[in-house]
Amino acid sequence: MAETVLLTGAQIADGTGNPLRAGDVLIDGDRIAAVAEPGTLPGEHPRRDLDGLVLAPGFVDAHSHADNAPLLAADDTTKILQGVTTEVVGNCGFSLAPREPARSDELAGFLERLFPPAELDWTSFAELFARVDAAGSVTNQCPLVGHTSLRIAAMGVAERPAEPAAVRRMAELLDEGMRAGAFGLSSGLIYPPALFADTGELTELAAAMGGAGRYVTHMRDEGAQLPEAVDEALRIGAKTGHTHLSHLKAAGREHWGALPSALERIRAARAGGQHVSHDVYPYTASSTMLLTLLPPDYLGGDTEQLLARLRSSACLPELRQALDGTDWDAVLVATTASHQHEGRTIAEIAAGGDPVAALVELLVSEHLRVAMVHFSMHEQDLLAALADEHTMIGSDGLPPGTGGRPHPRLFGTFPRLLRRYVREDGVLGLPEAVRRMTSLPAGEFAVPDRGLLAAGRIADLVAFDPAAVTDVGDYRDPVHPPAGIRWVCQAGHTVVEDGQYRGPRRGVRLTPAH
Ligand SMILES: [Zn+2]
């Protein structure tokens, strides 16, 4: 049982964006019982002194790929040490269910491009969620249904738009996931095989959810075709009650400066009555699979077919042409299956030789299991996004358990916002930054009973030192917990004390609030 405890001495950022204020917070069991002026609550209670700290609702990570965290033996502490108590998972079309037994190898091949290899011994979402619930998790999870996983169950990794029967099958599987407690449908339209889906396929799936779910998308393009990609997402999402654009960005030097016009399109849709939200991570490098640099005609089929194409004699001359102009200093290898070459750019690996040959050699020798950090964005676009009051924060942290040198956003997103964009640059006031990390994502994703520090809410809380909170790692040396996140509690239980994770796992899988 969680106990009764009185939190004293903190400045409260309650998640609404209202100014900091001194206050006492009484926790009784798993909920916040009262919030009051200092010294005014009656009764004798055990106290926790939070002098000099800011007390806020636990942060909600609007975009995570930690679906597999509950199934790992080791505790994934990357988010809780940042003060994150709830994560939205199942993003970018990747979910661990459904699994159609006859297409298990295709699903495994797809998932292993992002997740560490694992035995997949469930079929439905209900079975997966039962496994997740039994294992427990460090943070609360709000799962989405991944379009690509649906597609592989219905039609494998085929490189064509889905025929009507396959769309019907995907809709059935989506319905099963929603009934099992998912928060909506995600898509990742740059990744094979989802990139072969047409707008109609996604529109039909969105329509099948009706107003019950949300359409969450890694859009088809984040560069030259960004406006068209936003329009497509809005068209698909219009069939649901809510469209969410994941990790909004303008990628590629030629497209820097394009973010304000994307935000304009979103504002126009909102003005027209559509419900639209979006998230960003506070970095100018992205991170995903290295193979996404390849042109689409290299990406069809399963892993073996893809590798065969990379081994063909036509490959190198074709790719040299297709990838002409790529800045190979801007492509940093983060994680590989063998752990070789991690922390080196493609230019460094090529060592004065042909970078395209180095790229192909790496993909082939690592069986496509290579994640990269790509320095592809400009600070001005990030600042434009942060200036928008609808911009929430998501880490886009890649799955735990792969080792290597993942993008530092996995370890530092939330402390970094508080350090760089609040304390140093003053881009956001502290209460507003907390709102972007708490009530805004909690509201948009229908996270139940969380996101505000108020009487009656679940006592998921974080206390941090506003003068010291900081991300610690960098791109070459990312694996460091942040500093200044002093205390975290979940449902009234202390789980982080003096920046150290104490455990045990207190997270639960959540179902959408109604
Ligand atoms: Zn994504």
Side-chain angles (χ1 to χ4, degrees), residues 222 247 249-251 256 280-288 330-332 372-379 382 395-396 407-410 413 416 421 474-475:
E222 297 177 327
H247 45 57
K249 64 172 77 75
W256 287 350
V280 300
Y281 46 84
Y283 297 83
T284 52
S286 59
S287 179
T288 188
V331 181
L332 179 68
M372 66 171 167
V373 166
H374 195 184
F375 298 91
S376 60
M377 292 173 259
H378 194 277
E379 182 82 9
L382 174 58
S395 70
D396 202 2
H407 190 302
R409 67 194 185 190
L410 177 61
T413 290
R416 180 179 169 89
Y421 296 102
D474 58 27
Y475 291 107

Side-chain angles (χ1 to χ4, degrees), residues 102-401:
R103 303 193 196 282
S104 201
D105 289 349
E106 288 169 276
L107 179 65
F110 165 69
L111 291 175
E112 282 174 19
R113 292 172 192 171
L114 197 66
F115 289 88
E119 196 193 336
L120 310 174
D121 58 0
W122 50 81
T123 54
S124 64
F125 277 95
E127 287 173 22
L128 170 66
F129 291 166
R131 289 285 306 278
V132 166
D133 294 346
S137 54
V138 171
T139 57
N140 304 315
Q141 288 203 337
C142 301
L144 300 168
V145 172
H147 159 252
T148 315
S149 301
L150 293 177
R151 193 173 215 267
I152 291 172
M155 58 184 282
V157 295
E159 44 188 299
R160 60 172 192 274
E163 54 279 8
V167 177
R168 279 197 298 278
R169 180 65 185 142
M170 283 188 251
E172 287 169 11
L173 295 166
L174 170 59
D175 186 56
E176 190 275 324
M178 294 300 289
R179 285 170 192 275
F183 284 68
L185 172 70
S186 80
S187 69
L189 301 182
I190 68 160
Y191 300 111
L195 64 91
F196 303 107
D198 59 20
T199 306
E201 171 180 332
L202 290 144
T203 306
E204 282 192 52
L205 292 174
M209 275 192 303
R214 50 187 48 69
Y215 175 63
V216 180
T217 181
H218 178 157
M219 292 182 283
R220 205 178 282 280
D221 196 283
E222 297 177 327
Q225 310 289 315
L226 178 61
E228 292 83 353
V230 170
D231 290 349
E232 182 192 36
L234 293 171
R235 220 158 46 240
I236 297 164
K239 299 291 180 186
T240 69
H242 180 182
T243 311
H244 182 88
L245 310 180
S246 300
H247 45 57
L248 191 64
K249 64 172 77 75
R253 184 176 291 271
E254 322 80 273
H255 314 301
W256 287 350
L259 204 83
S261 65
L263 287 168
E264 263 324 305
R265 288 181 125 75
I266 297 168
R267 281 185 203 120
R270 221 175 258 134
Q274 197 172 346
H275 191 134
V276 192
S277 57
H278 59 271
D279 65 81
V280 300
Y281 46 84
Y283 297 83
T284 52
S286 59
S287 179
T288 188
M289 309 166 202
L290 184 66
L291 67 86
T292 58
L293 293 179
L294 300 174
D297 52 344
Y298 269 74
L299 296 176
D302 64 15
T303 296
E304 288 311 320
Q305 290 166 312
L306 223 149
L307 287 171
R309 232 170 271 129
L310 290 175
R311 291 190 188 105
S312 73
S313 56
C315 166
L316 278 182
E318 279 178 15
L319 287 186
R320 278 190 200 108
Q321 197 171 5
L323 300 177
D324 186 39
T326 302
D327 177 2
W328 298 106
D329 289 313
V331 181
L332 179 68
V333 174
T335 305
T336 64
S338 71
H339 299 302
Q340 289 184 42
H341 303 300
E342 292 170 347
R344 301 169 70 201
T345 65
I346 296 292
E348 288 166 353
I349 295 167
D354 177 5
V356 174
L359 170 84
V360 169
E361 160 66 21
L362 189 62
L363 286 169
V364 169
S365 63
E366 301 291 339
H367 225 71
L368 305 181
R369 287 175 50 206
V370 188
M372 66 171 167
V373 166
H374 195 184
F375 298 91
S376 60
M377 292 173 259
H378 194 277
E379 182 82 9
Q380 285 305 323
D381 283 317
L382 174 58
L383 293 175
L386 290 176
D388 185 295
E389 62 177 345
H390 295 281
T391 297
M392 66 180 79
I393 305 301
S395 70
D396 202 2
L398 296 187

